[in-house]
Amino acid sequence: MWVWGGFLLFILLVLALDLGVLNRKAHIVSVKEALAFTFAVLALATLFDVFVYFAYQNHWLGLGQHVDRVDGVVNDGRLAAVKFFTGYIIEVSLSADNVFVIAMIFEHMRVPAKFQHRVLFWGILGALVMRGTMIGLGAQLVSRYHWVLYVFGVFLVYTALKMLWAKSDEMAAPDEALVMRLFPVCQDYRESRFLVRDAGRWMLTPLAVSLVLVETTDLIFAVDSIPAIFAITTDPFIVFTSNVFAILGLRSLYFALSSAIAKFRYLKVSLAAILGLVGLKMLAAEWLKDVIGPSFNFYLLGIVAVILGVGVLASVIVTRREDRQAEPAK
């Protein structure tokens, strides 16, 4: 429990620094600021991966002493580090669609730009609790019933095909009507407050409704992303920590990409390919281990990076070509 407690304390300190120091006053987060925080989270994840290597290699605090149900081996330092970073990259890449839907929510609810950071900050805390609960339940299921991994694999392949077939306008933000039917909601924003007392009764503000919709969105996307990480490892500590670092970067990823996410037209294809890849990997883990060897997780990390790179590069090339064609002839 020491390693879990230490990690949670570290994350709480990062969040306290974020809200209490760096973003104490409500303000519009610039792209430069968002990119700086994104790279800072990436640096923290990389440093944590170094800790994972040494912790599992030397069995600090009981880590690296149990068989991983995905490949049937005990994770040493190198294998644990590769699995952590692969899971982190996959979770970050799958967050791209989440960014798009969050942008739709903020646009639909007309959330002032200076209050968006507050919504996403508290959304992160809620996401940590929800994903921690789902990961704990998933780890228990996999440890007792190995066949659940194959169910996850089939589900991921189905989700990948569904993502390819779906039209871009079929991805809609959750509806706020249900929240407004269940709770009284005031008509206007009251600065950065989620709850106000009006006409003798407590009411939610539109900012609180936006927070509920963001939490709902994360819950929906977690249904896809958590089975994806279980395709890499069933080690609860690696699964949870890689998810947490991906969630930490989600807020800054939104501010960095929300204005340009529509230009990455082939990103959806890349994400579908990644989901399909990890689903097939989950279904064929034993065969891959026999054919490729224990390093097949390292190859998976490389393939995921290539798929993402190709999708982004193709999007940039096509967008620039269309922009040049749209320019009036001189």
Side-chain angles (χ1 to χ4, degrees):
M1 297 301 295
W2 284 103
V3 67
W4 286 91
F7 177 75
L8 291 175
L9 179 61
F10 168 73
I11 295 302
L12 290 176
L13 288 174
V14 172
L15 292 175
L17 176 66
D18 179 18
L19 185 64
V21 179
L22 300 178
N23 295 282
R24 190 173 183 178
K25 295 182 178 180
H27 68 285
I28 299 175
V29 179
S30 66
V31 174
K32 182 179 179 180
E33 183 181 350
L35 289 175
F37 193 85
T38 300
F39 284 115
V41 172
L42 176 60
L44 286 176
T46 304
L47 289 174
F48 186 80
D49 203 23
V50 175
F51 165 78
V52 168
Y53 173 84
F54 287 104
Y56 277 77
Q57 188 68 23
N58 299 292
H59 306 298
W60 293 348
L61 301 173
L63 295 174
Q65 295 183 352
H66 303 284
V67 175
D68 196 326
R69 298 298 298 273
V70 170
D71 46 22
V73 300
V74 176
N75 292 321
D76 60 11
R78 179 179 179 275
L79 193 55
V82 169
K83 288 181 177 180
F84 169 83
F85 208 73
T86 303
Y88 170 68
I89 294 298
I90 289 176
E91 293 298 316
V92 170
S93 62
L94 294 178
S95 296
D97 269 357
N98 205 345
V99 168
F100 178 77
V101 177
I102 290 173
M104 292 174 59
I105 291 172
F106 285 163
E107 181 179 358
H108 175 69
M109 296 296 296
R110 295 182 176 86
V111 180
K114 65 178 182 179
F115 299 142
Q116 292 177 4
H117 172 272
R118 180 174 173 81
V119 174
L120 292 177
F121 175 86
W122 291 106
I124 287 173
L125 289 180
L128 292 178
V129 175
M130 285 192 301
R131 294 205 179 200
T133 303
M134 294 176 69
I135 288 170
L137 293 174
Q140 288 295 320
L141 280 175
V142 171
S143 65
R144 295 183 181 183
Y145 311 104
H146 184 266
W147 53 265
V148 172
L149 289 174
Y150 299 110
V151 176
F152 285 168
V154 172
F155 173 74
L156 291 176
V157 173
Y158 167 76
T159 303
L161 295 174
K162 184 179 178 181
M163 186 180 292
L164 286 175
W165 291 333
K167 298 179 181 179
S168 58
D169 57 356
E170 289 182 1
M171 183 180 295
D175 190 2
E176 76 277 11
L178 178 61
V179 180
M180 293 182 173
R181 284 198 296 267
L182 294 176
F183 305 97
V185 180
C186 63
Q187 296 297 319
D188 55 344
Y189 286 90
R190 306 292 177 88
E191 291 298 319
S192 59
R193 300 172 67 182
F194 293 118
L195 195 65
V196 295
R197 189 170 181 83
D198 197 359
R201 62 173 181 168
W202 288 101
M203 304 181 71
L204 298 180
T205 67
L207 202 66
V209 177
S210 301
L211 176 60
V212 173
L213 298 183
V214 168
E215 294 284 17
T216 304
T217 297
D218 182 77
L219 180 61
I220 293 171
F221 279 94
V223 174
D224 293 338
S225 63
I226 289 179
I229 187 63
F230 275 116
I232 310 302
T233 179
T234 59
D235 187 307
F237 187 71
I238 298 178
V239 172
F240 181 69
T241 53
S242 59
N243 257 267
V244 168
F245 276 106
I247 293 171
L248 279 180
L250 176 61
R251 190 210 63 231
S252 56
L253 192 67
Y254 164 76
F255 289 112
L257 296 181
S258 60
S259 60
I261 193 69
K263 297 182 180 179
F264 296 108
R265 64 180 66 190
Y266 297 116
L267 190 58
K268 185 177 180 180
V269 178
S270 295
L271 298 181
I274 290 173
L275 277 178
L277 176 67
V278 296
L280 292 174
K281 183 263 181 186
M282 183 176 281
L283 294 173
E286 293 294 332
W287 179 78
L288 290 172
K289 180 183 174 183
D290 293 336
V291 174
I292 302 177
S295 297
F296 70 92
N297 282 288
F298 181 77
Y299 300 134
L300 177 65
L301 174 59
I303 295 172
V304 168
V306 170
I307 292 174
L308 276 176
V310 170
V312 171
L313 183 61
S315 300
V316 171
I317 292 174
V318 172
T319 300
R320 287 183 176 178
R321 182 184 302 167
E322 291 181 347
D323 289 343
R324 285 197 299 267
Q325 292 175 351
E327 292 178 355
K330 296 182 179 178

